[in-house]
Amino acid sequence: MTRACAMKQLNGKTYRCFFELALAVMGGKWKPIVLYHLGHAGVLRFGELKRDMPEVTDRMLTRQLRELEADGLIHREVYRQVPPKVEYSLTAQGLGLFPILCAMRDWGSDYEAWRGGAEVLREGEAEPREARSLHPRYSGPAGA
């Protein structure tokens, strides 16, 4: 007989198990993609993220960035200048998700190959089969 886990709440997120909490924090269509891009790039501005994800609306990207910041997965650095400059990067907690995101990416690559490849719907740069590495910003004492 399996017992149901207790219902818990943390920072406005209600969940029964740690898996549910993990999905509540980093799940959805856009959050993992944002985290993955930041892991590779080190630091990105809003426009750079938008360029890498052309299908996301400005409103949705703004919302996802705010949620990731509130949950402590990304850092938002505001530079007081004209015009204003805002940069996003992973926190140590966000960095902990990077190996999981890379494993998901690798699974997607394997799945595409297993299904016989994909039909290209729009011309663009082909994604390499091998995963890109973590940005050097996150290695060493500052990123450890």
Side-chain angles (χ1 to χ4, degrees):
M1 179 165 112
T2 305
R3 293 178 39 192
C5 295
M7 184 67 79
K8 298 186 250 181
Q9 186 172 23
L10 179 69
N11 296 334
K13 290 171 181 39
T14 304
Y15 60 99
R16 290 192 180 274
C17 68
F18 298 123
F19 188 79
E20 282 183 46
L21 177 60
L23 287 178
V25 172
M26 60 79 67
K29 181 174 181 178
W30 300 110
K31 287 180 185 179
I33 298 170
V34 168
L35 294 167
Y36 184 76
H37 283 300
L38 288 174
H40 288 297
V43 174
L44 289 172
R45 295 176 68 179
F46 184 91
E48 294 169 319
L49 283 164
K50 181 77 170 107
R51 184 190 65 230
D52 289 341
M53 301 179 292
E55 289 81 21
V56 70
T57 64
D58 288 357
R59 182 175 179 226
M60 179 56 74
L61 182 55
T62 298
R63 181 177 166 193
Q64 300 296 278
L65 289 168
R66 285 181 182 156
E67 289 177 14
L68 287 167
E69 182 185 14
D71 288 330
L73 300 182
I74 65 171
H75 172 72
R76 181 176 184 261
E77 183 74 31
V78 179
Y79 296 91
R80 305 280 182 217
Q81 64 185 46
V82 178
K85 178 179 168 182
V86 179
E87 294 180 335
Y88 298 92
S89 60
L90 294 178
T91 62
Q93 199 66 32
L95 187 57
L97 287 169
F98 192 74
I100 297 165
L101 298 171
C102 286
M104 291 174 66
R105 182 243 180 250
D106 292 345
W107 183 91
S109 174
D110 292 345
Y111 182 77
E112 179 187 279
W114 178 73
R115 295 298 293 189
E119 176 186 355
V120 176
L121 301 177
R122 189 179 319 151
E123 291 301 318
E125 188 176 329
E127 182 180 13
R129 280 279 172 208
E130 60 282 344
R132 296 179 291 168
S133 61
L134 184 63
H135 190 274
R137 166 192 181 93
Y138 299 116
S139 61

